[in-house]
Amino acid sequence: ARANIGVVGLAVMGSNLARNLASREGNTVAVFNRSRSKTDELLAAHPEAEFVPSFSYEDFAASLSVPRTAIIMVKAGRPTDFVIDELVKVFEPGDIIVDGGNALFTDTIRREKAVRDTGINYVGMGVSGGEEGALLGPSLMPGGSDESWITLGPILKGIAAVAEGEACVTHVGHDGAGHFVKMVHNGIEYADMQLIAEAYDLIRRATGKTPAEIADVFAEWNRGELESYLIEITAEVLRQTDAETGKPLVDIILDQAGAKGTGAWTVQTALDLGVPVSGIAEATFARSLSSHPEQREVSRELPGPSGTDLLSGEDADAFIEQVRLALYASKIVAYSQGFDEIRAGAAQYDWAIDLGAVSKIWRGGCIIRAQFLNRIAEAYDAEATLPVLLTAPYFVEALGRAQDAWRHIVSLSAASGIPAPAFSSSLAYYDGLRAERLPAALIQGQRDFFGAHTYRRIDKEGTFHTLWSGDRTEIEAEDTH
Ligand code: 6PG
């Protein structure tokens, strides 16, 4: 038994994670892949790394020191279940199986329960940062038992990204907590990307600037409060010219956004938890809308507003600044909603998730890494149980600064027929939160009218029903929700 850590599944993410592990002092990395060729390729390409290859699960287990610790990096779903079953056969109580794929957290909860009965520790771990992150330093979101964290913690701290001197890994919580948090990370990633895309579209259609010119705008934004990986790569993508046609690449790429499902999971879970993640939902639906060419085709002639003149000069500059502020405000909403979902998930599944710690491990390595996460960390440092993130003083100030521009941009998008679903739904959420009274009272009245669903009153305790089809007097009733 020579290796202290193993990796199963040597596609790009697994290979890169294995190389990252092997590059750290103190690690010897056992590697295993279903088909032998991937293992041979990895060994041949990286003779510098001290890998211990195995070609059967038995040998793989034998090559690991106790407690045996293996990170599975295979496709989510059945392939993951298959590998777990094989590892359970050759591992012993106290050993640790880590799933580093994008598993659905409820699958992780189920697997953890099943594996726990064998005495083996099962850890669902969110891994963010793509291929480069896996190699150079990802953001890691492990769930699982406290016992597993004792062994895993030091290993993971060694390979994670570092932000402000701190490793981007924390023990998120038990069983599915890590994958839950990774899921919400991806939901926020969807919202962030959609907001950036809307900002680009608004600028392009309102000012007529070229993608390369807009790349400069994003590069400039990346020097301020919007500084983030996604803004940075947006500038890169917009600046890219297609080699074949000489046109901006963004004009050649088919405008139908793909999705592997984690955004949809975030929204589905939020619906179950009753958490309004409207920005994330709009971002997910915007991808769906883009991916229905047949519907878009027949809808092209639908009436829209008559054309307006393009903005130029100082007007264009002022407009771009307003878009920047609207983007920032909407981004605050998206993160606030995402953290709300984590808070609700933690309450529902009994996880002790430290929201401040989550914001800190997202400062480096992951796709949504941004300066901004420091502000979130500060907000939770000041008040760990903050009920609504965007009510933290820093964000209140930022929203106060941005709201006029935000409103203007949302009205302009509506008036000129430029779709900005995430911008506008974020603003509606913000105003919904702010409202002293919501028309939810009317909804309750309607529900009571057609279904005797009852309502509560603002002025006294109890549950009430109006006899709508009778004499319309009010009676006390049993609460039916
Ligand atoms: C990450 C990414 C990663 C993956 C996305 C892509 O954090 O490194 O989120 O997990 O690239 O899941 O998701 P879509 O294909 O759904 O856009």
Side-chain angles (χ1 to χ4, degrees), residues 46-58:
H46 298 285
E48 79 287 353
E50 229 194 287
F51 291 127
V52 182
S54 294
F55 301 100
S56 71
Y57 281 100
E58 288 77 15

Side-chain angles (χ1 to χ4, degrees), residues 102 128-130 182 185-186 189-190 259-262 287 367:
N102 263 336
S128 179
K182 175 60 178 22
H185 164 283
N186 281 31
E189 173 184 306
Y190 275 48
K260 292 199 204 74
T262 48
R287 289 195 190 187
I367 304 297

Side-chain angles (χ1 to χ4, degrees), residues 390-462:
L390 57 75
T391 61
Y394 177 88
F395 296 121
V396 172
E397 186 279 326
L399 291 161
R401 206 158 29 84
Q403 63 140 349
D404 283 344
W406 195 11
R407 295 181 191 289
H408 179 76
I409 292 297
V410 168
S411 352
L412 183 135
S413 78
S416 35
I418 304 170
F423 273 24
S424 37
S425 85
S426 304
L427 179 57
Y429 171 85
Y430 175 77
D431 284 332
L433 274 184
R434 289 175 50 250
E436 188 164 333
R437 287 277 297 164
L438 285 170
L442 177 57
I443 307 278
Q444 286 296 78
Q446 292 163 334
R447 293 177 69 239
D448 191 57
F449 189 103
F450 63 65
H453 294 299
T454 75
Y455 51 86
R456 284 176 293 148
R457 299 177 54 100
I458 58 170
D459 54 358
K460 57 182 174 193
E461 287 292 310

Side-chain angles (χ1 to χ4, degrees), residues 100-227:
N102 263 336
L104 180 59
F105 75 96
T106 45
D107 284 342
T108 304
I109 292 175
R110 166 180 63 78
R111 289 170 178 147
E112 199 274 340
K113 253 202 202 92
V115 172
R116 196 197 305 153
D117 289 340
T118 68
I120 297 169
N121 291 289
Y122 185 79
V123 176
M125 177 168 76
V127 178
S128 179
E131 297 171 7
E132 193 181 290
L135 180 63
L136 302 174
S139 172
L140 298 171
M141 294 150 251
S145 65
D146 296 339
E147 185 191 36
S148 63
W149 178 241
I150 295 169
T151 304
L152 268 181
I155 299 174
L156 298 180
K157 280 180 185 155
I159 59 164
V162 176
E164 322 260 326
E166 293 174 71
C168 294
V169 56
T170 189
H171 182 211
V172 176
H174 291 166
D175 55 60
H179 275 139
F180 187 94
V181 164
K182 175 60 178 22
M183 173 188 78
V184 175
H185 164 283
N186 281 31
I188 294 174
E189 173 184 306
Y190 275 48
D192 228 342
M193 293 167 74
Q194 173 66 21
L195 291 168
I196 291 171
E198 289 177 18
Y200 149 75
D201 199 33
L202 282 159
I203 295 174
R204 187 153 186 198
R205 290 172 64 171
T207 71
K209 283 187 187 296
T210 65
E213 286 168 335
I214 303 173
D216 291 341
V217 170
F218 279 98
E220 176 64 33
W221 288 359
N222 202 38
R223 285 190 275 276
E225 59 195 356
L226 278 173
E227 188 200 332

Side-chain angles (χ1 to χ4, degrees), residues 1-18:
R2 290 198 289 131
N4 65 315
I5 178 85
V7 176
V8 179
L10 301 176
V12 187
M13 286 295 285
S15 294
N16 283 1
L17 202 71

